[in-house]
Amino acid sequence: MTKPTRGAAGSAQKVVTALLAQIESGALRPGDQMPTIAALAEEYGVNKTPPARLS
């Protein structure tokens, strides 16, 4: 069983998991422009800090 994540770490993991799924499905391909931090925050319902930590 996985340990639940909270706060910024959990939010960042949520974004990472979603982006990896998009890469694996081919929705994001090499050379594609990544969404902005603001767009990632809005799309995944997190504040801008977790996506900013990914850059």
Side-chain angles (χ1 to χ4, degrees), residues 2 6 8 18 20-22 25-26 28 30 34 37 41 43-44 46 55:
T2 60
R6 294 189 178 134
L20 286 174
Q22 289 179 26
S25 73
L28 275 176
M34 293 291 295
I37 290 171
E43 183 173 348
Y44 298 106
V46 299
S55 59

Side-chain angles (χ1 to χ4, degrees), residues 2-45:
T2 60
K3 189 176 185 180
T5 55
R6 294 189 178 134
S11 296
Q13 186 60 49
K14 179 179 182 179
V15 175
V16 168
T17 300
L19 290 174
L20 286 174
Q22 289 179 26
I23 292 167
E24 291 171 353
S25 73
L28 275 176
R29 297 172 11 140
D32 285 353
Q33 186 171 352
M34 293 291 295
T36 63
I37 290 171
L40 289 170
E42 184 175 333
E43 183 173 348
Y44 298 106

